[in-house]
Amino acid sequence: EAAVTQSPRNKVAVTGGKVTLSCNQTNNHNNMYWYRQDTGHGLRLIHYSYGAGSTEKGDIPDGYKASRPSQENFSLILELATPSQTSVYFCASGGSRDRGWTLYFGEGSRLIVV
Amino acid sequence: GDKVKQSPSALSLQEGTNSALRCNFSIAATTVQWFLQNPRGSLMNLFYLVPGTKENGRLKSAFDSKESYSTLHIRDAQLEDSGTYFCAAEADSNYQLIWGSGTKLIIKP
């Protein structure tokens, strides 16, 4: 079974502080994604990656950076956290099209910025 | 307007009944995925579709790219089917999904 693990699962951060959300996948998938989910907005894409060393901006990248140092790991970095970044963050991985490109999600990371 | 529009936005059913959820696309969707977010917040993939149909147990999904819609049918609904169902479409073959806003389904005993 495909596995995507996020850490931390819960985080309280102070405004202006740095937050790093980590994601690890054991699926050997090339593609990885960071989404945030807020009530009334569904899932919104922040950053994504096509493979190690690659990061691409999604629909709402402002205030976020991403890092993909290896096939397995994809991090989301908030250099200067703000209360508007309070949300639930989901990481996902997806394989190649010939394997059906199904997205597998982690359990989510709940971030509160105070 | 919404590129991926889901209907209904919410639905309440008795256990054992059938339901149909729908997504309409205003984009040229090439593939569609359906997900269930359970009440604990976990997201699970239900189907990945190219044009055509797929079936898995009590779930059946169809995607018609020419008519720009996809459906998800749930037969003999069970309590564990409760949650929010999302559809998401790929348009430009770029491994990115455009998400609908979800259908919240409540199954009552």
Side-chain angles (χ1 to χ4, degrees), chain A residues 6-11 13 17-23 34 65-67 74-81 89 109 111:
Chain A
Q6 293 182 226
S7 64
R9 294 290 312 280
N10 294 281
K11 172 79 176 178
K18 182 176 181 179
V19 177
T20 300
L21 303 180
S22 300
C23 180
W34 275 107
K65 290 171 57 177
S67 174
F74 189 38
S75 297
L76 185 68
I77 303 152
L78 291 66
E79 294 278 5
L80 295 168
Y89 293 84
S109 295
L111 173 66

Side-chain angles (χ1 to χ4, degrees), chain A residues 31 33 35 37 42-43 45 48 50 59 90 95-97 100-103 105 107, chain B residues 31 33 35 37 40-43 45 48 86 90 93-97 99-101:
Chain A
N31 305 318
Y33 309 81
Y35 290 93
Q37 186 177 33
L43 282 153
L45 182 64
Y48 61 101
Y50 290 126
D59 299 321
F90 286 96
S96 58
R97 201 171 303 283
W101 185 50
T102 300
L103 280 195
F105 281 86
E107 292 298 302
Chain B
T31 67
Q33 299 191 35
F35 299 85
Q37 186 168 35
R40 288 182 294 106
S42 298
L43 278 156
N45 188 282
Y48 167 85
F86 291 97
E90 183 188 14
S93 300
N94 60 1
Y95 292 103
Q96 290 185 52
L97 292 175
W99 290 77
S101 55

Side-chain angles (χ1 to χ4, degrees), chain B residues 50-72:
Chain B
V50 295
T53 61
K54 281 190 176 178
E55 193 164 355
N56 184 5
R58 296 180 292 101
L59 302 181
K60 183 175 181 179
S61 186
F63 170 37
D64 187 329
S65 58
K66 292 180 181 178
E67 298 298 324
S68 299
Y69 75 91
S70 179
T71 56
L72 176 68

